[in-house]
Amino acid sequence: MSADRRSRNNVFAGLALDRHAEQRDDVEWLSGQIDDPRAQFLVLAADGRALVRTDCDALRLLDAGERKAWFAHATASFLGADEHGPRFVLRVEEARAERLAADLGAAWLDLRSAGLRLHPFQSGLFAYARALSHWQSRTRHCPVCGAALAIVAGGHRARCTNAYCEAEQFPRTDAAIIVIVSHEDRCLLGRHAKWAEARYSTLAGFVEPGETLEDAVRREVMEEAGVRVVDCDYHSSQPWPFPASLMVGFTARADDPTIRCGPELADARWFGVEDLRRALAERTIILPPPVSVSYRLIEHWLRETADLDLATLVNDERW
């Protein structure tokens, strides 16, 4: 399977939407998009939850008439368009959120739950909207001069209102690596010091300035588990708007199984296939849910090592 297909199998990564980045500065074009009778509007609450239908697992998108009735004076941010029309995101104030849901016969759903319940396109749209909205809500003053910022380009850029500055800010994405490390026929899983005893996952960490992704893999594995990685390969990526990350998944190989846990990990272990099978059966280990690329990395290792499907082994313990 190609890396592109692996990425599209990850939750929040199934968004086939033309973002029209080259047209977002065209005010007249954007006006035409928002007035398009096919336009649909995703609504987010102040806490980042999205409005969903109660009769099925789907977003409750507002049509053009509903948008005018409820958000006549609100600014909608442009997300993109497909053959069904343009998509936008709106934010509703906390005081109006419950009334809006009640009047539309809808409910509010958090993003992690949406990743497991909604169609891949809709969960991807939700993740995209939430990440953009989060950046807007926390980007209000110019970091250069301190003046107020104005959101422009359909919500995708912030410009300083100080005529002597006019510095521009763009949505922030924090790159992080996440990796399944193997040694011979075993894989390395760790437990964060703040996690419950049974929770184990692949190792991960943020990329530092001036660092390649591969260097970040080597550094993080050494820092967290004291294991030296000798080679690594890209697996897939996943938007992870909690609040603004991009998870870049890798497979890697260690040349020495010796583990020396750093302060971030309470424990790290090498698991063979039978070790993993037994631990899951005995409920002494809980793995990440399918919403995370960590699950996909463990799934990949298990399939490559023993031609086994992780879904047949996992227990129903909540992460």
Side-chain angles (χ1 to χ4, degrees), residues 199-281:
R199 287 174 58 174
Y200 282 79
S201 182
T202 53
L203 305 188
F206 287 103
V207 180
E208 294 188 348
E211 191 173 48
T212 67
L213 296 171
E214 293 81 2
D215 286 343
V217 169
R218 287 185 278 269
R219 175 184 53 77
E220 283 291 342
V221 175
M222 176 58 71
E223 284 183 5
E224 294 191 358
V227 173
R228 190 165 77 94
V229 168
V230 291
D231 57 32
C232 59
D233 291 292
Y234 173 68
H235 178 272
S236 63
S237 62
Q238 179 188 36
W240 193 249
F242 300 102
S245 297
L246 172 68
M247 303 302 295
V248 186
F250 283 86
T251 62
R253 182 174 61 87
D255 67 346
D256 186 331
T258 304
I259 294 174
R260 301 179 184 86
C261 286
E264 290 188 19
L265 293 187
D267 186 31
R269 303 182 198 174
W270 292 104
F271 289 87
V273 173
E274 291 307 314
D275 299 328
L276 201 58
R277 189 201 300 268
R278 183 169 54 254
L280 288 168

Side-chain angles (χ1 to χ4, degrees), residues 49-189:
R49 291 179 298 166
L51 199 64
V52 296
R53 299 171 63 98
T54 55
D55 58 344
C56 64
D57 287 334
L59 293 171
R60 175 58 168 92
L61 300 173
L62 275 60
D63 61 28
E66 291 169 327
R67 193 272 301 181
K68 289 179 180 178
W70 281 92
F71 297 93
H73 305 293
T75 300
S77 293
F78 179 71
L79 299 175
D82 60 12
E83 66 274 17
H84 302 294
R87 315 294 174 90
F88 293 83
V89 58
L90 288 158
R91 287 196 300 247
V92 63
E93 303 90 347
E94 185 176 353
R96 301 175 67 210
E98 291 309 317
R99 181 173 150 233
L100 174 65
D103 283 8
L104 295 177
W108 296 102
L109 183 69
D110 67 276
L111 182 55
R112 289 178 189 268
S113 299
L116 297 175
R117 287 175 50 182
L118 302 186
H119 181 277
F121 177 88
Q122 292 213 332
S123 65
L125 188 70
F126 182 0
Y128 172 21
R130 187 180 188 275
L132 185 64
S133 179
H134 178 271
W135 170 75
Q136 291 173 351
S137 68
R138 285 158 177 76
T139 310
R140 299 182 177 180
H141 297 277
C142 178
V144 179
C145 71
L149 291 172
I151 300 296
V152 297
H156 291 260
R157 194 163 70 249
R159 180 182 297 133
C160 179
T161 56
N162 178 358
Y164 296 97
C165 178
E166 294 187 335
E168 294 185 326
Q169 308 301 317
F170 296 84
R172 175 176 173 173
T173 298
D174 300 319
I177 61 88
I178 185 164
V179 57
I180 182 84
V181 181
S182 65
H183 181 267
E184 297 178 350
D185 59 352
R186 297 181 297 169
C187 71
L188 179 65
L189 301 177

